[in-house]
Amino acid sequence: MHAISFIQDLAVIMLVAGVVTVLFHRLKQPVVLGYIVAGFIIGPHTPPFGLIHDEDTIKILAELGVIFLMFCLGLEFSLRKLFRVGATAFIAAFLEIVLMIWLGFEIGRWFGWTTMDSLFLGAILAISSTTIIVKALNDLKMKNERFAQLIFGVLIVEDILGIGIIALLSGIAVSGTVSSGEVFSTVGKLSLFMIVALVIGILLVPRLLAYVAKFESNEMLLITVLGLCFGFCLLVVKLEYSMVLGAFLIGAIMAESRQLLKIERLIEPVRDLFSAIFFVAIGLMIDPQVLLDYAWPILVITLAVVLGKMLSCGMGAFIAGNDGRTSLRVGMGLSQIGEFSFIIAALGMTLQVTSDFLYPVAVAVSAITTLLTPYLIRAADPLSIKLGKVVPGRLARVLSLYGEWLRSIQPQGEGAMLAAMIRRILLQVGVNLALVIAIFFAGGYFAGRIGIWLSDWVSDTSQQKALIWGAALLLSLPFLIAAYRKLKALSMLLAEMGVKPEMAGRHTQRVRRVVAEVIPLLSLLVIFLLLSALSASILPTSELLLVIAVVAAVVVALLWRWFIRVHSRMQIALLETLENNRDHSH
């Protein structure tokens, strides 16, 4: 009987969604809204009777919808796109998220809502909707304009920060408090996990997909992709992060494979099916009575979303050096909330820390701002012309001088090349250190299980710790040596730039050599102190540490070249994957 009622529910959902989406398509409105309306029509709150019997199963399917939505966001995410839009995306997204969380929190407090409701409201308002914006820009044929590219950059940064917000909110909801130390440790662990997952994933996954693609079977490729997606989501859940993060990351990893276009084509119908159920399930939760009772807050929050995002994103784009017209278009393009807001609102309900009204309010605000999106994007140009006429001459001059000043302080020619070189070296050092820290974290995490396994041979716990710590150090050596060599290259560069002959005279070369030797050694010392602090749970006694240090020094002396070769191969493999995909995507 259960199966029949489920099929009946699915039939009702798909039929009503089909009819409503055709209607919305004819009215040139976003299909997403159609799904929400369809859910509302068949929902339990709409008279004369509810058409859905098995809501729990529908909710499970909606969860799959979230996974596929985030997975496809990941597929559209590209590390290169992120670097290309650079400062604008980071400044605009950061400004927007900080301002909107504060604004949402203050609005919640003003209406007398609980602290948790207000905090979740802030998070719900913080992030714009990628699917709705991409769809609106596609429909308006503006996808390739400069402001649209900047919007996509902001959305990518927002998605990453949104994942961090979800992780933080889960922590706050469970503990009920938030301390700055907790925030830093959560963000630090999350960043570390993301870097390690991306590096290892980009080394392994594209190669696996390339191997499966050789069989030229769409079925095999689709099943492999889905297997990797769900498997990685499971791993992330086991590490106590949200499934959303897993789906997004595995999508971002697969975005670097040569089979990207084929994967997108294969996954699209699956995503469309489950995301339709996700948006319909949102509609099911809308209670008209709640919307009437909370009409005033919905109106205030909608105004806050449109004006707050226009201001924060527009200002962020302008501060980063874009002209007024482009900045305004970026701000008006990002003035709505969507799928991320639903995920955050659902999180509050799942953890039972928010009130029941918050979800329908979020959906209502999202529906109104979604409807406004195409009109706001269209209105940006005429509005910027009108504002241009109204702005006082003196203010306009100051603003244009700011733009010129920003362009003038950007390094040109040789300076720009040097800055790019330093950036690249620091990025490589950062990635290597992230991998080292991850190895030591893993050692600490699995220490108990490894200890049980070792107890047959080594009964003394301090010796067990020494073996685990020593093994972690041994595994880290290729990355530590690489970091040391990069730091040495950087310090030589800095010594050349910093120690001028007019300062040091005939001792110039000697001083440069000293600087070039001292900086990497000091850095290594700091790194080891950091590792000791992070791996305190498995840190052996000082006598055993000395033994490990001597053994490590001997291993490094004997296998220095081999370690360099191993690391170089890994680096080449990583760069090859990124380069291959770059050629392919062009």
Side-chain angles (χ1 to χ4, degrees), residues 307-361:
L307 295 176
K309 284 181 183 263
M310 235 163 92
L311 190 71
S312 56
C313 298
M315 255 174 61
F318 185 77
I319 289 168
N322 295 285
D323 59 87
R325 177 173 169 244
T326 306
S327 303
L328 189 66
R329 292 176 90 181
V330 168
M332 288 177 82
L334 286 159
S335 296
Q336 80 298 96
I337 58 172
E339 62 280 354
F340 241 117
S341 312
F342 302 146
I343 292 166
I344 291 169
L347 178 76
M349 281 177 71
T350 313
L351 297 170
Q352 294 176 341
V353 289
T354 54
S355 309
D356 290 342
F357 65 79
L358 197 61
Y359 201 106
V361 165

Side-chain angles (χ1 to χ4, degrees), residues 178-505:
V178 58
S179 66
S180 53
E182 220 172 280
V183 171
F184 279 117
S185 94
T186 304
V187 171
K189 282 181 187 166
L190 186 72
S191 312
L192 179 71
F193 173 68
M194 285 174 78
I195 292 168
V196 174
L198 283 170
V199 171
I200 297 172
I202 290 168
L203 277 173
L204 301 177
V205 173
R207 280 169 175 68
L208 174 65
L209 293 174
Y211 172 73
V212 174
K214 277 184 192 165
F215 297 104
E216 293 188 355
S217 160
N218 284 347
E219 185 182 354
M220 274 172 78
L221 186 61
L222 178 63
I223 298 302
T224 308
V225 165
L226 292 178
L228 285 169
C229 174
F230 290 130
F232 192 74
C233 285
L234 184 66
L235 169 75
V236 171
V237 171
K238 293 274 185 212
L239 291 171
E240 292 173 4
Y241 288 117
S242 76
M243 238 173 341
V244 174
L245 170 67
F248 180 77
L249 274 183
I250 192 71
I253 289 164
M254 287 188 196
E256 300 303 335
S257 82
R258 282 190 141 185
Q259 285 69 39
L260 174 63
L261 295 172
K262 204 170 187 183
I263 292 168
E264 282 185 324
R265 208 170 52 246
L266 289 173
I267 212 85
E268 217 170 84
V270 187
R271 178 203 63 192
D272 290 346
L273 167 66
F274 286 106
S275 59
I277 295 172
F278 168 63
F279 288 117
V280 169
I282 289 163
L284 290 176
M285 292 188 186
I286 301 177
D287 183 348
Q289 196 52 51
V290 172
L291 299 189
L292 287 172
D293 294 346
Y294 288 88
W296 173 233
I298 288 168
L299 199 67
V300 172
I301 294 165
T302 303
L303 265 173
V305 168
V306 175
L307 295 176
K309 284 181 183 263
M310 235 163 92
L311 190 71
S312 56
C313 298
M315 255 174 61
F318 185 77
I319 289 168
N322 295 285
D323 59 87
R325 177 173 169 244
T326 306
S327 303
L328 189 66
R329 292 176 90 181
V330 168
M332 288 177 82
L334 286 159
S335 296
Q336 80 298 96
I337 58 172
E339 62 280 354
F340 241 117
S341 312
F342 302 146
I343 292 166
I344 291 169
L347 178 76
M349 281 177 71
T350 313
L351 297 170
Q352 294 176 341
V353 289
T354 54
S355 309
D356 290 342
F357 65 79
L358 197 61
Y359 201 106
V361 165
V363 174
V365 172
S366 171
I368 299 167
T369 52
T370 300
L371 272 173
L372 292 174
T373 299
Y375 304 108
L376 285 169
I377 294 173
R378 270 198 215 110
D381 249 9
L383 185 65
S384 67
I385 293 164
K386 274 183 190 152
L387 281 175
K389 288 174 184 168
V390 177
V391 170
R394 196 171 289 174
L395 181 62
R397 252 196 319 281
V398 169
L399 294 177
S400 69
L401 277 172
Y402 169 75
E404 279 170 32
W405 171 74
L406 260 189
R407 282 185 283 280
S408 70
I409 60 165
Q410 283 181 351
Q412 302 295 323
E414 205 176 303
M417 275 170 65
L418 268 174
M421 218 152 122
I422 290 170
R423 264 205 310 274
R424 198 197 276 112
I425 291 173
L426 287 173
L427 181 70
Q428 289 171 338
V429 170
V431 169
N432 281 308
L433 289 185
L435 290 165
V436 171
I437 292 167
I439 290 168
F440 276 90
F441 265 163
Y445 186 75
F446 294 111
R449 289 172 211 180
I450 299 169
I452 295 164
W453 180 71
L454 282 173
S455 56
D456 295 343
W457 296 280
V458 182
S459 55
D460 184 38
T461 50
S462 62
Q463 286 176 357
Q464 284 178 5
K465 281 182 180 178
L467 280 171
I468 296 168
W469 205 87
L473 184 63
L474 204 62
L475 281 173
S476 305
L477 282 177
F479 309 111
L480 284 169
I481 290 168
Y484 171 74
R485 291 176 74 220
K486 297 288 175 204
L487 285 165
K488 194 156 186 189
L490 179 65
S491 44
M492 282 162 79
L493 198 67
L494 293 174
E496 286 283 330
M497 287 163 59
V499 182
K500 298 276 189 286
E502 50 266 30
M503 284 162 55

Side-chain angles (χ1 to χ4, degrees), residues 144-159:
N144 297 318
E145 290 192 30
R146 175 166 162 72
F147 86 96
Q149 293 304 311
L150 292 175
I151 284 177
F152 294 147
V154 174
L155 288 170
I156 288 170
V157 179
E158 270 187 14
D159 291 340

Side-chain angles (χ1 to χ4, degrees), residues 21-29:
T21 45
V22 167
L23 193 66
F24 269 65
H25 192 73
R26 295 296 296 270
L27 294 170
K28 292 192 166 52
Q29 293 306 326

